Amino acid sequence: METLTRADLIAEIDRLRRERNAVILAHNYQIPEIQDLADFVGDSLGLSQAAARTTADIIVFCGVHFMAETAAILCPDKKVLIPDPEAGCSLAATITAEQLRAWKAEHPGAVVVAYVNTTAEVKAEADYCCTSSNAVKVINSIPPDKEVLFLPDFFLGSYLERVTGRKLHVWLGECHVHAGIRPADILTKLEAHPDAEFLIHPECGCVTSCMYYVADGTIPAENTHILSTEGMVRRARQSTAQKFIVATEVGVLHRMRKDNPNKVFIPASEDAVCHYMKKITLEKLYRSLRDLVHEVRVDPEIAARARLAIERMLSLA
Ligand code: 13P
Ligand code: SF4
């Protein structure tokens, strides 16, 4: 394969996206080079909305596989490409459609809410999809007398139980990156930076403890915000605070620093790196646009059922 310089790669990506009428969507955890050239950067909800409204013929999805699948479900007439099909998600891998069917059989009549970090087959078994941006809204829209099965993230599920005051059946899945952010990481960082505002993703292993710390006064409630990645980016822009401790995958710090050059952003854990998200590189993006690989296809019958759950979510957003 020919070796292109970084500048050549960017120029070629630019040329090919125009030539092919392609749009490049990138998640907030992507490497800085990908974020900087994407047409849209956002969280799972924002990316689904961007996919749903694009007029491009081709969507190149710089993110993980379930996100590209969601775009393919919402845009059956478009070609959806992922630059590396190995970009998976440890959280989505914690439940299969077969396991979900068995769980549903134990709770007949229960409403199933599937976090967006799931395969298309699992979404096809769900009544509602949700993301970290709208999970509270989705749970609150379900009649209170209904039993709810929430999957697959245990920490997000526990957070939802606390915020909505509703008992949920929660699947015991976790994301290895967020589960690794422990309460001790938070307390150490807060002690070192008592003036910082604290932004936490609800998938974090520290989220439940942090809610208790807020309740018992260990962490100041007014400085603590549990948000999706896009919510964090927005908060960083709008807040008057000068320093932030950020508990999520470190990729999100790029946009925060770019948008707010005079503010300080400190990762809660420097080890919070999603190697699946980092599989997407400029070289792979270039090859994806050049050779139109790797196409993400979803079986039409599965897609039709999964689309209902995703559209129910989008109509609430
Ligand atoms: P957001 O929707 O908040 O960007 O989260 C997606 C994700 O995969 C978190 O790990
Ligand atoms: Fe999946 Fe976790 Fe990576 Fe998000 S950070 S894509 S939940 S493995």
Side-chain angles (χ1 to χ4, degrees), residues 27 29 63-67 88-92 115 117 153 174-179 201 203 248-249 272-277:
H27 187 264
Y29 297 160
V64 291
H65 196 264
F66 75 81
M67 296 180 175
C89 168
S90 61
L91 177 56
Y115 189 40
N117 296 43
D153 191 73
E174 62 177 30
C175 148
H176 70 292
V177 179
H178 285 91
H201 195 277
E203 278 178 31
T248 192
E249 210 272 353
V273 178
C274 176
H275 65 275
Y276 297 112
M277 284 282 181

Side-chain angles (χ1 to χ4, degrees), residues 5-315:
T5 64
R6 190 176 171 279
D8 288 344
L9 278 172
I10 293 173
E12 278 300 288
I13 290 168
D14 243 348
R15 182 181 67 77
L16 286 167
R17 86 167 118 194
R18 267 182 275 117
E19 203 172 287
R20 300 203 181 282
N21 189 25
V23 68
I24 300 173
L25 306 183
H27 187 264
N28 286 319
Y29 297 160
Q30 289 291 292
I31 58 169
E33 290 90 333
I34 299 279
Q35 292 195 31
D36 289 347
L37 57 68
D39 295 291
F40 180 87
V41 186
D43 64 1
S44 309
L45 179 65
L47 291 167
S48 320
Q49 290 167 324
R53 68 173 177 256
T54 186
T55 54
D57 297 318
I58 295 174
I59 297 173
V60 188
F61 210 108
C62 297
V64 291
H65 196 264
F66 75 81
M67 296 180 175
E69 241 182 15
T70 306
I73 292 166
L74 287 171
C75 313
D77 303 332
K78 299 194 190 298
K79 197 187 269 295
V80 177
L81 304 174
I82 187 163
D84 186 335
E86 300 294 311
C89 168
S90 61
L91 177 56
T94 62
I95 188 163
T96 63
E98 202 181 333
Q99 286 171 313
L100 176 51
R101 280 192 289 273
W103 199 27
K104 281 165 67 172
E106 289 167 21
H107 300 274
V111 175
V112 178
V113 181
Y115 189 40
V116 67
N117 296 43
T118 43
T119 61
E121 287 80 7
V122 166
K123 286 186 183 79
E125 294 292 332
D127 298 296
Y128 285 89
C129 188
C130 77
T131 74
S132 55
S133 287
N134 58 19
V136 172
K137 205 182 232 179
V138 169
I139 298 292
N140 282 336
S141 75
I142 299 169
D145 58 317
K146 285 280 185 192
E147 241 188 312
V148 177
L149 304 184
F150 180 81
L151 64 112
D153 191 73
F154 173 73
F155 296 109
L156 175 59
S158 310
Y159 164 73
L160 291 172
E161 284 189 311
R162 196 160 164 112
V163 173
T164 64
R166 186 161 177 172
K167 184 81 198 97
L168 309 172
H169 298 282
V170 180
W171 190 256
L172 275 179
E174 62 177 30
C175 148
H176 70 292
V177 179
H178 285 91
I181 304 177
R182 308 306 310 172
D185 297 322
I186 305 306
L187 292 179
T188 314
K189 289 276 154 75
L190 279 170
E191 241 171 66
H193 307 281
D195 52 335
E197 195 166 280
F198 182 32
L199 311 180
I200 321 173
H201 195 277
E203 278 178 31
C204 284
C206 62
V207 76
T208 322
S209 319
C210 286
M211 285 187 294
Y212 285 104
Y213 293 151
V214 166
D216 76 7
T218 311
I219 319 184
E222 63 282 8
N223 279 357
T224 307
H225 303 272
I226 299 174
L227 298 163
S228 75
T229 57
E230 195 59 29
M232 290 180 174
V233 171
R234 209 175 305 122
R235 177 73 203 166
R237 242 185 266 128
Q238 290 168 353
S239 167
T240 53
Q242 291 304 304
K243 207 188 253 185
F244 300 81
I245 298 167
V246 183
T248 192
E249 210 272 353
V250 295
V252 76
L253 295 167
H254 173 64
R255 252 179 95 200
M256 290 173 157
R257 288 177 175 145
K258 202 167 140 182
D259 289 357
N260 310 279
N262 298 323
K263 296 183 181 179
V264 177
F265 298 93
I266 304 152
S269 164
E270 288 79 3
D271 299 332
V273 178
C274 176
H275 65 275
Y276 297 112
M277 284 282 181
K278 309 307 184 210
K279 278 189 179 289
I280 313 293
T281 59
L282 281 180
E283 287 80 1
K284 289 180 195 170
L285 171 55
Y286 161 62
R287 260 182 275 151
S288 184
L289 274 164
R290 187 192 64 187
D291 304 338
L292 299 179
V293 291
H294 302 268
E295 188 167 358
V296 177
R297 289 175 196 260
V298 181
D299 172 86
E301 188 266 331
I302 301 277
R305 285 162 50 214
R307 194 176 302 121
L308 286 178
I310 300 169
E311 280 173 353
R312 271 193 203 118
M313 162 185 90
L314 292 178
S315 70

